[in-house]
Amino acid sequence: MAVWGLSSFKSWLSKKQYERLISLLDDSFLQVRTSGCVALGALGSDVSLSGLFNHDLVFDKLLKCLKDGRVNRETVCETLMAFPRGPELLLQTAKANKNTPLVLRA
């Protein structure tokens, strides 16, 4: 809940704090990865304009979570949709993974 709560303080977060949120997508606990994903989704469009973090790194980590099922696929899709390039990336991923029904379903 604390990780998710951070998204309420987006105007106060530093670059280092955003980077820490991104690193949560690699955590060993599902709940932590999911909370990090939800927090990044809540920050999505606001952060996209601020240039506080490497978008390609975020997209790579989210797409990895989507493909390997490390976070609920619907949650990852919702997070990606919060970013301006998210819908495009989801479409590309679905096209590239035609044989993966779970990605397409998400």
Side-chain angles (χ1 to χ4, degrees):
M1 291 305 292
V3 171
W4 178 79
L6 283 175
S7 63
S8 300
F9 300 101
K10 53 188 149 200
S11 61
W12 298 348
L13 296 178
S14 69
K15 181 176 181 173
K16 184 173 179 111
Q17 291 164 324
Y18 283 116
E19 290 170 352
R20 179 66 183 122
L21 276 176
I22 294 165
S23 74
L24 295 178
L25 296 175
D26 294 320
D27 197 271
S28 60
F29 292 99
L30 173 64
Q31 295 88 347
V32 174
R33 290 191 303 267
T34 302
S35 294
C37 186
V38 171
L40 286 168
L43 296 168
S45 59
D46 293 334
V47 174
S48 294
L49 301 173
S50 68
L52 284 175
F53 63 81
N54 180 338
H55 294 107
D56 291 334
L57 175 64
V58 173
F59 295 143
D60 288 346
K61 286 183 180 278
L62 287 170
L63 291 174
K64 182 179 178 184
C65 289
L66 179 64
K67 290 176 187 176
D68 66 16
R70 295 176 345 163
V71 176
N72 178 284
R73 287 177 175 89
E74 286 82 5
T75 302
V76 176
C77 289
E78 288 175 11
T79 299
L80 281 166
M81 293 298 288
F83 292 92
R85 286 186 42 221
E88 174 189 340
L89 288 170
L90 280 174
L91 183 58
Q92 289 172 359
T93 301
K95 286 179 180 179
N97 296 284
K98 291 178 184 174
N99 296 326
T100 309
L102 292 174
V103 172
L104 294 174
R105 186 179 68 114

